[in-house]
Amino acid sequence: MSVDLFLKLFTLFVVVGIGYGAARAGLTGGVVGLRTLSNIGFLVFVPGLLFRTTATVNLAALPWRLLAAFFVPLLLWALGVWAWQRRRMVPGTDDPAAPATRAVTLSFGNSVQVGLPFAAALFGEEGLRLHVALVSLHALLLLSPFTVLAEADRARAAARHTGALAIGETLLTIARQTLVHPVVLPVLLGLAWNLTGLALPQWLDSVLKMLGQGAVPLCLVLIGVALDQYGLGPRWSVPAGMAALKLLVLPALVAASGVLVFHLDGLPLSVLVMAAALPVGSNALLFAQRYRVLEGEASAVIVLSTAGFALTAPLWLMVLAWWRVAGG
């Protein structure tokens, strides 16, 4: 890993540390302050970022084979985690949104704060263009379906608990809570605007761009505040194991998909694998905070996977170099 990339990772830890220090100094208002910061991020900054991304992306120019090679195994992996966690749930004890939250934590990579400078430094302009294509659909294809699953699981649990909701009313509740949601609604509105073919007014684009830029530092500060609130927890081995799964197993699955199913090689394969090998992104913590479940675990996995990325990124680059030499 180059010195420049190491310094960028170090910068992320500094901002997280600032959030942690502010929380330790009592400047963030404890649990109430954490909720407030989380709500600002999830209800203001992230919707602005999602709307602008989906409203302005050029759908016709996207490299669809690369996207399929990345998102098909990624979504299958996330759905597998969700299904496995649902089977292990204890009804009446575990939060119904926990399986979807763990699925997002084990799947959502830091494709912006770490991914963009990493792709630019390693793969140049062409590689960055391919990585940006992945970024443009990342939140849409991961957060939206698992928001639906989290809302559906909670609605079904509520119906079983009260016995008051009929099937039709349950479905209506799921649909309402899913559509009127700070992730799904801006994505749908952005896609609707995109399909009109109209450009965003300059003033609106400037506002949305500013909100999107604010999401990055706020999310990093939130990680530090959450670490002060929850710590790594007594069972720190659990988030460490989750970080290892994200950094080692998921990239292997995506690499296998790219080679064996979609027959990619060269630069597209390298961009694909390194995007899957990124550490967990801060949106995983926002998702956990939205449902008030596994927040400490999510923050711990983010920090541990970011630190671990300094070791696993060179490993995956060596694997890719070996594959090129072997004639893959």
Side-chain angles (χ1 to χ4, degrees), residues 200-208:
L200 288 173
Q202 185 174 356
W203 67 268
L204 178 59
D205 186 61
S206 298
V207 170
L208 294 173

Side-chain angles (χ1 to χ4, degrees), residues 24 88 90 122 141 172 175 191 193 211 239 254 288 321:
R24 294 293 292 176
R88 297 177 68 247
V90 179
L122 284 179
L141 295 181
L172 182 61
L191 287 175
W193 185 284
L211 289 175
V254 171

Side-chain angles (χ1 to χ4, degrees), residues 20 62 70 72 89 121 191 262:
Y20 180 82
L62 292 175
F70 182 75
V72 168
M89 280 183 59
L191 287 175
F262 294 93

Side-chain angles (χ1 to χ4, degrees), residues 27-63:
L27 301 178
T28 57
V31 176
V32 175
L34 178 61
R35 299 295 181 204
T36 302
L37 287 173
S38 174
N39 286 337
I40 291 173
F42 207 72
L43 300 176
V44 179
F45 289 103
V46 170
L49 176 65
L50 292 175
F51 178 84
R52 183 175 185 270
T53 300
T54 51
T56 58
V57 64
N58 186 351
L59 298 175
L62 292 175

Side-chain angles (χ1 to χ4, degrees), residues 75-84 86 89 95-104 141-157 160 174-175 177-179 181 184 287 291:
L75 287 172
L76 289 176
W77 161 265
L79 286 170
V81 171
W82 171 77
W84 175 52
R86 284 192 82 219
M89 280 183 59
D95 191 296
T101 301
R102 276 218 171 101
V104 171
L141 295 181
L142 264 181
L143 295 183
S144 298
F146 286 96
T147 294
V148 173
L149 291 175
E151 296 290 350
D153 286 343
R154 280 200 162 176
R156 281 194 293 266
R160 286 195 300 267
I174 294 172
Q177 292 176 342
T178 299
L179 292 176
H181 190 279
V184 179
F287 193 93
Y291 294 103

